Structure formats: structure tokens, C-alpha cells
Amino acid sequence: MPTMSGAAIEPSLQALSDFAETLADEVRPLSLGWFRRRLEIDLKADESPVTIADRNVEQALRRRIAERFPTHGILGEEFGSAHADAEFVWSIDPIDGTRSFITGFPLWGTLLAVLHRGSPVVGVIDMPVQAERWVGRYRQGAWLNGAVCTTSKITRLSDATVYATSPDIFQGAEADAFARLSGAVRSRRFGGDCYAYALLASGHIDLVMEASLQPYDYLALAPVIEAAGGVITDWDGQPLTLHSRGRVIAAANAELHREALAVIGCVAP
């Protein structure tokens, strides 16, 4: 969890999250306008796909953030970082789940986070097709379309359901660790990208375990899950930052999180 002094943050978390929601409202029609259309698909250096939709949404977000908060830094999936050492930094994933997007599968989202001195304090998970939006503010609460959401009360792995976007994201010792966790829970499911974390925040599932994530993949998730009562860290139990290795474990509560970490054990990088 981030640590802060008792001094008020300016702008306030309320003002930052309100603006983040305004941004999500503005780019929803843009991303939906490209959905289920025939698009040219390019491959980035890491072999992940990218389309005009990803680029246009991120450009629109970056432009609006720079207009409203010119001293804030920005980290985006498609256009890199600018002023990442600023007191406030925005993290943008314009379309989390591009593979879903380009195949017409509706479970993709736009992720926005605000970091204060390196720690994520505001998170937005916006799901345009479902018209669902999760918002989390550090120590203030989490909401789904304005209604308070909380994580599940499941505290035993044997009663829990774990999600991962795909088994293909785990390699070598990582795959062994996921297999250990899968063997300890009631059920496992795959798919959903950021939607799985949103479902965890609303109490529908209990665990999410993933690897090979980038900061813009996970920074928006942390404030939502933590404000809803859950725990999200790297596989070593450390808070997620811009410099985390991309191995993420999210749980409905601290008890379940401790059990999951114990089962995963030490996994070499």
C-alpha cells in the first residue's frame, strides 16, 4: 500500500478521479467506433498487436491530460513516458485486451491510473461494451457505476476461484507456481484481461494471478482492488510500482493473499 503524509494532496483524489472518469467518458465512443471493424493490425517489438484504435485513444487521453495538468507525467502503452519523475504521473492503457478487441470479444477495457510520488492512488477500469466502470481511490472506497463494491469474504484457497488471462503467460518456474495455486483452489478460469480484476473487486471471484505484465497493465487495478478490501502485490508480496517485474497476485483479502503467496513460494526471476 502507498504511504502518505497527513497533508492534503492537491489536486484532491476526488478531483483526479472525477477527471479520470471524464476522460473515460470521452474516449468510450472512440474505442467503440473501431470495435468489430476490419482493422490493420501491426505487431510491436514484443510481438503484441496494436491497432489505430489503441493509438487514437491514447493520443486523445494524453492530449487532454496535458491540457488539464501540464506538470503531470504520463506513461502510456503506445507512446512511452514523459516526465515520469513528476509528483503526479498518469498511467494509460488505451485498450487492455487488444487481442480480444481485434477478435470481436467484448471483454477489453481502458485503464487509467494516477500515481502520487510513485504510488497508484486513483484507478479506473472502464469496460466500454458492458458500460461498466470501476473507480478506486486510495483509502476512500471503490465503486462500480457509482455503487460501492467490496471483495468476497472467501479466506481459504480450497473455496476460492482463481483467474488468469491465459495459461500461456506463464513460463518455466512461473507455470509450476501457477499449477501449484491451481491445484489448491476450488476452480480456475481463463480470460478477461482487466475484467477479471474488476470482478474480484466486486466479490465475484477471489484470486487473479498473472505474469509478464507491464506497469500500464496493473497500476490502475491496484487502487480499485485495495479500496474494495482486497490485496494486490507482486509475487514477493511487495507493493506494485512503476518498477515491479510484472508478476501480479491479487486476492480478495489479506488471509487469502497470504495463503496464495505461501503456495506460490519463491520463484526465481
Side-chain angles (χ1 to χ4, degrees), residues 40-121:
E40 181 176 341
I41 301 166
D42 298 320
L43 292 180
K44 295 185 283 191
D46 63 357
E47 298 298 310
S48 63
V50 61
T51 72
I52 189 173
D54 301 84
R55 297 186 181 108
N56 282 7
V57 170
E58 183 170 324
Q59 286 174 330
L61 291 167
R62 296 176 81 103
R63 182 169 58 251
R64 289 284 283 116
I65 293 167
E67 290 170 353
R68 177 70 178 271
F69 297 114
T71 64
H72 289 194
I74 300 176
L75 168 68
E77 178 173 9
E78 307 308 334
F79 297 101
S81 64
H83 309 298
D85 57 348
E87 180 179 4
F88 290 94
V89 175
W90 290 74
S91 171
I92 301 170
D93 191 343
I95 296 180
D96 182 76
T98 298
R99 288 182 174 86
S100 293
F101 185 90
I102 62 179
T103 55
F105 192 67
L107 298 185
W108 50 272
T110 295
L111 300 180
L112 294 168
V114 184
L115 285 72
H116 181 243
R117 295 175 180 167
S119 296
V121 293

Side-chain angles (χ1 to χ4, degrees), residues 167-182:
D168 297 336
I169 63 177
F170 304 109
Q171 302 295 325
E174 294 175 345
D176 295 337
F178 182 68
R180 289 195 296 275
L181 186 63
S182 296

Side-chain angles (χ1 to χ4, degrees), residues 8-16 68-69 72 88 116:
I9 295 175
E10 292 296 338
S12 69
L13 297 190
Q14 177 77 60
L16 289 165
R68 177 70 178 271
F69 297 114
H72 289 194
F88 290 94
H116 181 243

Side-chain angles (χ1 to χ4, degrees), residues 130-154:
Q130 287 75 25
E132 293 179 316
R133 180 180 301 154
W134 283 260
V135 178
R137 297 197 298 266
Y138 177 65
R139 290 185 173 173
Q140 294 184 8
W143 300 268
L144 164 58
N145 289 353
V148 173
C149 60
T150 58
T151 55
S152 82
K153 304 304 182 186
I154 297 294

